mmCIF file of all heavy atoms in Angstrom:
data_model
loop_
_atom_site.group_PDB
_atom_site.id
_atom_site.type_symbol
_atom_site.label_atom_id
_atom_site.label_comp_id
_atom_site.label_asym_id
_atom_site.label_seq_id
_atom_site.Cartn_x
_atom_site.Cartn_y
_atom_site.Cartn_z
ATOM 1 N N TRP M 209 2.759 0.929 0.772
ATOM 2 C CA TRP M 209 3.025 0.084 1.830
ATOM 3 C C TRP M 209 3.590 -1.223 1.464
ATOM 4 O O TRP M 209 3.060 -1.856 0.447
ATOM 5 C CB TRP M 209 1.699 -0.110 2.690
ATOM 6 C CG TRP M 209 1.209 1.042 3.309
ATOM 7 C CD1 TRP M 209 0.216 1.945 2.780
ATOM 8 C CD2 TRP M 209 1.507 1.656 4.550
ATOM 9 N NE1 TRP M 209 -0.001 2.947 3.663
ATOM 10 C CE2 TRP M 209 0.772 2.714 4.799
ATOM 11 C CE3 TRP M 209 2.381 1.134 5.664
ATOM 12 C CZ2 TRP M 209 0.687 3.617 5.858
ATOM 13 C CZ3 TRP M 209 2.372 1.918 6.870
ATOM 14 C CH2 TRP M 209 1.657 3.111 6.911
ATOM 15 N N LEU M 210 4.541 -1.754 2.120
ATOM 16 C CA LEU M 210 5.197 -3.065 1.879
ATOM 17 C C LEU M 210 4.936 -3.803 3.113
ATOM 18 O O LEU M 210 4.735 -3.157 4.314
ATOM 19 C CB LEU M 210 6.663 -2.955 1.437
ATOM 20 C CG LEU M 210 7.006 -1.991 0.380
ATOM 21 C CD1 LEU M 210 8.568 -1.932 0.192
ATOM 22 C CD2 LEU M 210 6.323 -2.499 -0.881
ATOM 23 N N ARG M 211 5.108 -5.165 3.157
ATOM 24 C CA ARG M 211 5.030 -5.887 4.439
ATOM 25 C C ARG M 211 5.965 -7.069 4.330
ATOM 26 O O ARG M 211 6.272 -7.660 3.261
ATOM 27 C CB ARG M 211 3.650 -6.351 4.854
ATOM 28 C CG ARG M 211 2.968 -7.347 3.882
ATOM 29 C CD ARG M 211 1.608 -7.675 4.204
ATOM 30 N NE ARG M 211 1.012 -8.703 3.387
ATOM 31 C CZ ARG M 211 -0.332 -9.108 3.360
ATOM 32 N NH1 ARG M 211 -1.186 -8.398 4.175
ATOM 33 N NH2 ARG M 211 -0.683 -9.934 2.551
ATOM 34 N N GLN M 212 6.443 -7.565 5.516
ATOM 35 C CA GLN M 212 7.336 -8.591 5.590
ATOM 36 C C GLN M 212 7.182 -9.446 6.929
ATOM 37 O O GLN M 212 6.972 -8.907 7.980
ATOM 38 C CB GLN M 212 8.795 -8.088 5.430
ATOM 39 C CG GLN M 212 9.796 -9.229 5.415
ATOM 40 C CD GLN M 212 11.209 -8.598 5.160
ATOM 41 O OE1 GLN M 212 11.487 -7.414 5.487
ATOM 42 N NE2 GLN M 212 12.100 -9.329 4.461
ATOM 43 N N VAL M 213 7.325 -10.791 6.734
ATOM 44 C CA VAL M 213 7.258 -11.628 7.893
ATOM 45 C C VAL M 213 8.637 -12.370 7.901
ATOM 46 O O VAL M 213 9.365 -12.439 6.944
ATOM 47 C CB VAL M 213 6.182 -12.745 7.893
ATOM 48 C CG1 VAL M 213 4.801 -12.125 7.736
ATOM 49 C CG2 VAL M 213 6.386 -13.655 6.596
ATOM 50 N N PRO M 214 9.074 -12.860 9.082
ATOM 51 C CA PRO M 214 10.395 -13.463 9.211
ATOM 52 C C PRO M 214 10.730 -14.623 8.210
ATOM 53 O O PRO M 214 9.775 -15.381 7.968
ATOM 54 C CB PRO M 214 10.365 -14.077 10.667
ATOM 55 C CG PRO M 214 9.483 -13.046 11.440
ATOM 56 C CD PRO M 214 8.387 -12.804 10.394
ATOM 57 N N GLU M 215 11.824 -14.622 7.529
ATOM 58 C CA GLU M 215 12.150 -15.690 6.686
ATOM 59 C C GLU M 215 11.370 -15.696 5.377
ATOM 60 O O GLU M 215 11.383 -16.750 4.608
ATOM 61 C CB GLU M 215 12.184 -17.059 7.317
ATOM 62 C CG GLU M 215 13.138 -17.071 8.638
ATOM 63 C CD GLU M 215 13.101 -18.480 9.128
ATOM 64 O OE1 GLU M 215 12.411 -19.301 8.739
ATOM 65 O OE2 GLU M 215 13.916 -18.663 10.125
ATOM 66 N N LYS M 216 10.603 -14.694 5.106
ATOM 67 C CA LYS M 216 9.961 -14.688 3.888
ATOM 68 C C LYS M 216 10.266 -13.230 3.096
ATOM 69 O O LYS M 216 10.697 -12.297 3.711
ATOM 70 C CB LYS M 216 8.395 -14.628 4.111
ATOM 71 C CG LYS M 216 7.954 -16.042 4.587
ATOM 72 C CD LYS M 216 6.473 -16.189 4.657
ATOM 73 C CE LYS M 216 5.895 -17.465 5.099
ATOM 74 N NZ LYS M 216 4.535 -17.623 5.050
ATOM 75 N N GLU M 217 10.130 -13.269 1.906
ATOM 76 C CA GLU M 217 10.284 -12.123 1.078
ATOM 77 C C GLU M 217 9.402 -11.014 1.255
ATOM 78 O O GLU M 217 8.182 -11.096 1.505
ATOM 79 C CB GLU M 217 10.363 -12.485 -0.455
ATOM 80 C CG GLU M 217 10.963 -11.494 -1.405
ATOM 81 C CD GLU M 217 10.981 -11.963 -2.822
ATOM 82 O OE1 GLU M 217 12.058 -12.487 -3.188
ATOM 83 O OE2 GLU M 217 10.086 -11.799 -3.627
ATOM 84 N N ARG M 218 9.969 -9.727 1.283
ATOM 85 C CA ARG M 218 9.135 -8.605 1.490
ATOM 86 C C ARG M 218 8.218 -8.487 0.254
ATOM 87 O O ARG M 218 8.542 -8.783 -0.833
ATOM 88 C CB ARG M 218 10.040 -7.371 1.356
ATOM 89 C CG ARG M 218 9.355 -6.017 1.772
ATOM 90 C CD ARG M 218 10.439 -4.987 2.252
ATOM 91 N NE ARG M 218 11.646 -5.183 1.400
ATOM 92 C CZ ARG M 218 12.741 -4.555 1.686
ATOM 93 N NH1 ARG M 218 12.913 -3.870 2.819
ATOM 94 N NH2 ARG M 218 13.807 -4.597 0.923
ATOM 95 N N GLU M 219 6.923 -8.068 0.490
ATOM 96 C CA GLU M 219 5.973 -8.022 -0.495
ATOM 97 C C GLU M 219 5.128 -6.716 -0.638
ATOM 98 O O GLU M 219 5.043 -6.061 0.324
ATOM 99 C CB GLU M 219 4.877 -9.381 -0.503
ATOM 100 C CG GLU M 219 4.102 -9.193 0.730
ATOM 101 C CD GLU M 219 3.113 -10.325 0.810
ATOM 102 O OE1 GLU M 219 3.208 -11.337 0.052
ATOM 103 O OE2 GLU M 219 2.209 -10.297 1.796
ATOM 104 N N PHE M 220 4.731 -6.402 -1.869
ATOM 105 C CA PHE M 220 3.991 -5.163 -2.110
ATOM 106 C C PHE M 220 2.579 -5.334 -1.498
ATOM 107 O O PHE M 220 1.902 -6.483 -1.739
ATOM 108 C CB PHE M 220 3.945 -4.964 -3.601
ATOM 109 C CG PHE M 220 2.856 -3.961 -4.016
ATOM 110 C CD1 PHE M 220 3.026 -2.635 -3.873
ATOM 111 C CD2 PHE M 220 1.679 -4.327 -4.661
ATOM 112 C CE1 PHE M 220 2.145 -1.707 -4.155
ATOM 113 C CE2 PHE M 220 0.732 -3.509 -4.912
ATOM 114 C CZ PHE M 220 0.989 -2.161 -4.794
ATOM 115 N N VAL M 221 1.932 -4.297 -0.881
ATOM 116 C CA VAL M 221 0.627 -4.289 -0.375
ATOM 117 C C VAL M 221 -0.273 -3.441 -1.156
ATOM 118 O O VAL M 221 -1.319 -3.605 -1.727
ATOM 119 C CB VAL M 221 0.587 -4.022 1.108
ATOM 120 C CG1 VAL M 221 -0.820 -3.899 1.647
ATOM 121 C CG2 VAL M 221 1.459 -4.973 1.967
ATOM 122 N N ALA M 222 0.255 -2.089 -1.229
ATOM 123 C CA ALA M 222 -0.806 -1.033 -1.837
ATOM 124 C C ALA M 222 0.230 0.166 -2.243
ATOM 125 O O ALA M 222 1.237 0.320 -1.612
ATOM 126 C CB ALA M 222 -1.817 -0.573 -0.965
ATOM 127 N N ALA M 223 -0.256 0.969 -3.156
ATOM 128 C CA ALA M 223 0.391 2.162 -3.607
ATOM 129 C C ALA M 223 -0.640 3.129 -4.010
ATOM 130 O O ALA M 223 -1.648 2.904 -4.434
ATOM 131 C CB ALA M 223 1.553 1.887 -4.659
ATOM 132 N N ILE M 224 -0.080 4.483 -3.942
ATOM 133 C CA ILE M 224 -0.975 5.538 -4.371
ATOM 134 C C ILE M 224 -0.149 6.701 -5.148
ATOM 135 O O ILE M 224 0.975 6.930 -4.712
ATOM 136 C CB ILE M 224 -1.743 6.166 -3.163
ATOM 137 C CG1 ILE M 224 -2.685 7.161 -3.556
ATOM 138 C CG2 ILE M 224 -0.755 6.750 -2.218
ATOM 139 C CD1 ILE M 224 -3.684 7.464 -2.586
ATOM 140 N N SER M 225 -0.683 7.263 -6.199
ATOM 141 C CA SER M 225 0.044 8.192 -6.881
ATOM 142 C C SER M 225 0.100 9.589 -5.948
ATOM 143 O O SER M 225 -0.566 9.729 -5.035
ATOM 144 C CB SER M 225 -0.688 8.558 -8.177
ATOM 145 O OG SER M 225 -2.000 9.088 -8.009
ATOM 146 N N TRP M 226 0.988 10.568 -6.582
ATOM 147 C CA TRP M 226 1.159 11.734 -5.713
ATOM 148 C C TRP M 226 -0.199 12.480 -5.529
ATOM 149 O O TRP M 226 -0.479 13.006 -4.507
ATOM 150 C CB TRP M 226 2.164 12.645 -6.488
ATOM 151 C CG TRP M 226 2.299 14.053 -5.824
ATOM 152 C CD1 TRP M 226 2.987 14.311 -4.798
ATOM 153 C CD2 TRP M 226 1.716 15.191 -6.301
ATOM 154 N NE1 TRP M 226 2.817 15.633 -4.433
ATOM 155 C CE2 TRP M 226 2.053 16.249 -5.370
ATOM 156 C CE3 TRP M 226 0.872 15.590 -7.496
ATOM 157 C CZ2 TRP M 226 1.645 17.679 -5.666
ATOM 158 C CZ3 TRP M 226 0.538 16.890 -7.641
ATOM 159 C CH2 TRP M 226 0.871 17.790 -6.745
ATOM 160 N N SER M 227 -0.891 12.510 -6.627
ATOM 161 C CA SER M 227 -2.356 13.273 -6.580
ATOM 162 C C SER M 227 -3.379 12.470 -5.806
ATOM 163 O O SER M 227 -4.330 13.057 -5.458
ATOM 164 C CB SER M 227 -2.840 13.539 -7.907
ATOM 165 O OG SER M 227 -3.169 12.441 -8.594
ATOM 166 N N GLY M 228 -3.137 11.169 -5.594
ATOM 167 C CA GLY M 228 -4.167 10.319 -4.954
ATOM 168 C C GLY M 228 -5.166 9.765 -5.912
ATOM 169 O O GLY M 228 -6.054 9.112 -5.502
ATOM 170 N N GLY M 229 -5.058 10.140 -7.172
ATOM 171 C CA GLY M 229 -5.966 9.692 -8.172
ATOM 172 C C GLY M 229 -5.922 8.353 -8.593
ATOM 173 O O GLY M 229 -6.812 7.759 -9.205
ATOM 174 N N SER M 230 -4.775 7.649 -8.405
ATOM 175 C CA SER M 230 -4.556 6.303 -8.860
ATOM 176 C C SER M 230 -4.103 5.461 -7.587
ATOM 177 O O SER M 230 -3.304 5.867 -6.921
ATOM 178 C CB SER M 230 -3.542 6.225 -9.937
ATOM 179 O OG SER M 230 -4.057 6.950 -11.023
ATOM 180 N N THR M 231 -4.758 4.238 -7.423
ATOM 181 C CA THR M 231 -4.305 3.427 -6.401
ATOM 182 C C THR M 231 -4.208 1.999 -6.876
ATOM 183 O O THR M 231 -4.637 1.610 -7.934
ATOM 184 C CB THR M 231 -5.358 3.331 -5.253
ATOM 185 O OG1 THR M 231 -6.640 2.939 -5.896
ATOM 186 C CG2 THR M 231 -5.624 4.745 -4.566
ATOM 187 N N TYR M 232 -3.333 1.260 -6.255
ATOM 188 C CA TYR M 232 -2.868 -0.092 -6.645
ATOM 189 C C TYR M 232 -2.805 -0.929 -5.350
ATOM 190 O O TYR M 232 -2.263 -0.574 -4.417
ATOM 191 C CB TYR M 232 -1.596 -0.085 -7.447
ATOM 192 C CG TYR M 232 -1.476 0.961 -8.458
ATOM 193 C CD1 TYR M 232 -1.220 2.171 -8.206
ATOM 194 C CD2 TYR M 232 -1.749 0.505 -9.791
ATOM 195 C CE1 TYR M 232 -1.077 3.205 -9.143
ATOM 196 C CE2 TYR M 232 -1.608 1.539 -10.781
ATOM 197 C CZ TYR M 232 -1.328 2.833 -10.561
ATOM 198 O OH TYR M 232 -1.268 3.805 -11.478
ATOM 199 N N TYR M 233 -3.277 -2.294 -5.526
ATOM 200 C CA TYR M 233 -3.429 -3.165 -4.361
ATOM 201 C C TYR M 233 -2.861 -4.503 -4.810
ATOM 202 O O TYR M 233 -3.081 -4.981 -5.884
ATOM 203 C CB TYR M 233 -4.821 -3.302 -3.890
ATOM 204 C CG TYR M 233 -5.420 -1.988 -3.459
ATOM 205 C CD1 TYR M 233 -6.141 -1.161 -4.177
ATOM 206 C CD2 TYR M 233 -5.133 -1.516 -2.105
ATOM 207 C CE1 TYR M 233 -6.751 0.006 -3.599
ATOM 208 C CE2 TYR M 233 -5.670 -0.540 -1.495
ATOM 209 C CZ TYR M 233 -6.510 0.259 -2.298
ATOM 210 O OH TYR M 233 -7.060 1.504 -1.755
ATOM 211 N N LYS M 234 -2.328 -5.271 -3.855
ATOM 212 C CA LYS M 234 -2.157 -6.630 -4.009
ATOM 213 C C LYS M 234 -3.389 -7.370 -4.093
ATOM 214 O O LYS M 234 -4.348 -6.979 -3.354
ATOM 215 C CB LYS M 234 -1.340 -7.138 -2.629
ATOM 216 C CG LYS M 234 -1.012 -8.665 -2.679
ATOM 217 C CD LYS M 234 -0.251 -9.025 -1.339
ATOM 218 C CE LYS M 234 -0.091 -10.518 -1.266
ATOM 219 N NZ LYS M 234 0.921 -11.016 -2.405
ATOM 220 N N ASP M 235 -3.470 -8.429 -4.867
ATOM 221 C CA ASP M 235 -4.820 -9.078 -5.052
ATOM 222 C C ASP M 235 -5.498 -9.550 -3.766
ATOM 223 O O ASP M 235 -6.690 -9.444 -3.597
ATOM 224 C CB ASP M 235 -4.679 -10.184 -6.043
ATOM 225 C CG ASP M 235 -4.386 -9.883 -7.471
ATOM 226 O OD1 ASP M 235 -4.710 -8.654 -7.780
ATOM 227 O OD2 ASP M 235 -4.037 -10.704 -8.299
ATOM 228 N N SER M 236 -4.746 -10.052 -2.827
ATOM 229 C CA SER M 236 -5.312 -10.670 -1.700
ATOM 230 C C SER M 236 -5.857 -9.619 -0.703
ATOM 231 O O SER M 236 -6.582 -10.066 0.219
ATOM 232 C CB SER M 236 -4.234 -11.442 -0.886
ATOM 233 O OG SER M 236 -3.165 -10.584 -0.529
ATOM 234 N N VAL M 237 -5.536 -8.261 -0.955
ATOM 235 C CA VAL M 237 -6.058 -7.303 0.025
ATOM 236 C C VAL M 237 -7.244 -6.427 -0.632
ATOM 237 O O VAL M 237 -7.782 -5.543 0.049
ATOM 238 C CB VAL M 237 -4.969 -6.397 0.612
ATOM 239 C CG1 VAL M 237 -3.879 -7.190 1.149
ATOM 240 C CG2 VAL M 237 -4.449 -5.375 -0.416
ATOM 241 N N LYS M 238 -7.392 -6.556 -1.892
ATOM 242 C CA LYS M 238 -8.559 -5.872 -2.568
ATOM 243 C C LYS M 238 -9.847 -5.915 -1.991
ATOM 244 O O LYS M 238 -10.256 -7.097 -1.655
ATOM 245 C CB LYS M 238 -8.567 -6.185 -4.115
ATOM 246 C CG LYS M 238 -7.303 -5.809 -4.889
ATOM 247 C CD LYS M 238 -7.454 -6.187 -6.382
ATOM 248 C CE LYS M 238 -6.296 -5.778 -7.197
ATOM 249 N NZ LYS M 238 -6.305 -6.157 -8.528
ATOM 250 N N GLY M 239 -10.492 -4.929 -1.728
ATOM 251 C CA GLY M 239 -11.816 -4.968 -1.158
ATOM 252 C C GLY M 239 -11.717 -4.960 0.418
ATOM 253 O O GLY M 239 -12.822 -4.684 1.035
ATOM 254 N N ARG M 240 -10.551 -5.111 0.912
ATOM 255 C CA ARG M 240 -10.467 -5.086 2.481
ATOM 256 C C ARG M 240 -9.554 -3.890 2.837
ATOM 257 O O ARG M 240 -9.907 -3.368 3.865
ATOM 258 C CB ARG M 240 -9.779 -6.317 2.970
ATOM 259 C CG ARG M 240 -10.619 -7.554 2.621
ATOM 260 C CD ARG M 240 -10.001 -8.762 3.254
ATOM 261 N NE ARG M 240 -8.598 -9.235 2.852
ATOM 262 C CZ ARG M 240 -7.594 -9.121 3.652
ATOM 263 N NH1 ARG M 240 -7.662 -8.822 4.923
ATOM 264 N NH2 ARG M 240 -6.511 -9.518 3.121
ATOM 265 N N PHE M 241 -8.481 -3.653 2.165
ATOM 266 C CA PHE M 241 -7.677 -2.468 2.461
ATOM 267 C C PHE M 241 -7.979 -1.273 1.531
ATOM 268 O O PHE M 241 -8.278 -1.278 0.352
ATOM 269 C CB PHE M 241 -6.247 -2.853 2.288
ATOM 270 C CG PHE M 241 -5.749 -3.960 3.232
ATOM 271 C CD1 PHE M 241 -6.475 -4.566 4.069
ATOM 272 C CD2 PHE M 241 -4.256 -4.143 3.204
ATOM 273 C CE1 PHE M 241 -5.978 -5.589 4.923
ATOM 274 C CE2 PHE M 241 -3.808 -5.145 4.173
ATOM 275 C CZ PHE M 241 -4.633 -5.843 5.045
ATOM 276 N N THR M 242 -7.703 -0.063 2.138
ATOM 277 C CA THR M 242 -7.888 1.244 1.434
ATOM 278 C C THR M 242 -6.777 2.103 1.689
ATOM 279 O O THR M 242 -6.482 2.396 2.960
ATOM 280 C CB THR M 242 -9.138 1.928 1.766
ATOM 281 O OG1 THR M 242 -10.299 1.147 1.539
ATOM 282 C CG2 THR M 242 -9.275 3.189 0.848
ATOM 283 N N ILE M 243 -5.946 2.603 0.574
ATOM 284 C CA ILE M 243 -4.875 3.424 0.820
ATOM 285 C C ILE M 243 -5.265 4.735 0.485
ATOM 286 O O ILE M 243 -6.091 5.103 -0.386
ATOM 287 C CB ILE M 243 -3.592 2.992 -0.036
ATOM 288 C CG1 ILE M 243 -2.385 3.877 0.298
ATOM 289 C CG2 ILE M 243 -3.961 3.073 -1.565
ATOM 290 C CD1 ILE M 243 -1.091 3.255 -0.359
ATOM 291 N N SER M 244 -4.844 5.851 1.104
ATOM 292 C CA SER M 244 -5.191 7.186 0.942
ATOM 293 C C SER M 244 -3.953 8.086 1.461
ATOM 294 O O SER M 244 -3.120 7.689 2.172
ATOM 295 C CB SER M 244 -6.436 7.671 1.645
ATOM 296 O OG SER M 244 -6.305 7.430 3.018
ATOM 297 N N ARG M 245 -3.913 9.338 1.024
ATOM 298 C CA ARG M 245 -2.923 10.347 1.450
ATOM 299 C C ARG M 245 -3.401 11.630 1.573
ATOM 300 O O ARG M 245 -4.487 12.068 0.899
ATOM 301 C CB ARG M 245 -1.724 10.201 0.464
ATOM 302 C CG ARG M 245 -2.049 10.776 -0.880
ATOM 303 C CD ARG M 245 -1.003 10.514 -1.916
ATOM 304 N NE ARG M 245 0.336 11.216 -1.489
ATOM 305 C CZ ARG M 245 1.574 11.001 -2.074
ATOM 306 N NH1 ARG M 245 1.612 10.008 -2.957
ATOM 307 N NH2 ARG M 245 2.647 11.650 -1.679
ATOM 308 N N ASP M 246 -2.945 12.553 2.519
ATOM 309 C CA ASP M 246 -3.235 13.885 2.666
ATOM 310 C C ASP M 246 -1.909 14.584 2.547
ATOM 311 O O ASP M 246 -1.142 14.696 3.482
ATOM 312 C CB ASP M 246 -3.821 14.080 4.165
ATOM 313 C CG ASP M 246 -4.258 15.552 4.338
ATOM 314 O OD1 ASP M 246 -3.851 16.358 3.679
ATOM 315 O OD2 ASP M 246 -5.117 15.763 5.175
ATOM 316 N N ASN M 247 -1.712 15.183 1.365
ATOM 317 C CA ASN M 247 -0.496 15.867 1.112
ATOM 318 C C ASN M 247 -0.277 17.111 1.916
ATOM 319 O O ASN M 247 0.821 17.573 2.245
ATOM 320 C CB ASN M 247 -0.427 16.219 -0.506
ATOM 321 C CG ASN M 247 -0.198 14.945 -1.316
ATOM 322 O OD1 ASN M 247 0.224 13.930 -0.791
ATOM 323 N ND2 ASN M 247 -0.372 15.189 -2.621
ATOM 324 N N ALA M 248 -1.224 17.770 2.246
ATOM 325 C CA ALA M 248 -1.226 19.007 3.108
ATOM 326 C C ALA M 248 -0.634 18.727 4.460
ATOM 327 O O ALA M 248 0.012 19.397 5.176
ATOM 328 C CB ALA M 248 -2.632 19.604 3.244
ATOM 329 N N LYS M 249 -0.936 17.378 4.888
ATOM 330 C CA LYS M 249 -0.424 16.963 6.258
ATOM 331 C C LYS M 249 0.904 16.088 5.960
ATOM 332 O O LYS M 249 1.391 15.592 7.081
ATOM 333 C CB LYS M 249 -1.475 16.255 7.010
ATOM 334 C CG LYS M 249 -2.642 17.126 7.339
ATOM 335 C CD LYS M 249 -3.623 16.297 8.202
ATOM 336 C CE LYS M 249 -4.880 17.220 8.555
ATOM 337 N NZ LYS M 249 -5.855 16.444 9.396
ATOM 338 N N ASN M 250 1.283 15.756 4.844
ATOM 339 C CA ASN M 250 2.439 14.934 4.613
ATOM 340 C C ASN M 250 2.188 13.516 5.306
ATOM 341 O O ASN M 250 2.970 13.054 5.886
ATOM 342 C CB ASN M 250 3.633 15.572 5.047
ATOM 343 C CG ASN M 250 4.103 16.822 4.211
ATOM 344 O OD1 ASN M 250 3.928 16.798 2.923
ATOM 345 N ND2 ASN M 250 4.611 17.733 4.936
ATOM 346 N N THR M 251 0.961 13.025 5.130
ATOM 347 C CA THR M 251 0.571 11.816 5.840
ATOM 348 C C THR M 251 -0.104 10.783 4.862
ATOM 349 O O THR M 251 -0.861 11.075 4.081
ATOM 350 C CB THR M 251 -0.364 12.050 6.859
ATOM 351 O OG1 THR M 251 0.411 13.003 7.896
ATOM 352 C CG2 THR M 251 -0.621 10.837 7.809
#
């Protein structure tokens, strides 16, 4: 996931590997946001 506000640069929020085994977060959202995926549902 990426996010952007008007007149500001697009920024990274979170990412997840194909298997779901590795996750990465922007420092300011750690502990508050959780990224996940369901490959069977392509979601």
Side-chain angles (χ1 to χ4, degrees):
W209 296 91
L210 308 175
R211 68 186 183 187
Q212 188 172 27
V213 299
E215 301 182 354
K216 291 188 177 181
E217 190 172 272
R218 187 162 42 196
E219 65 180 9
F220 165 76
V221 177
I224 187 168
S225 62
W226 173 77
S227 68
S230 299
T231 57
Y232 309 84
Y233 297 94
K234 177 181 175 65
D235 287 344
S236 63
V237 308
K238 288 180 179 178
R240 299 189 297 119
F241 291 10
T242 302
I243 188 171
S244 61
R245 67 190 296 170
D246 186 338
N247 289 347
K249 297 181 179 180
N250 294 320
T251 303

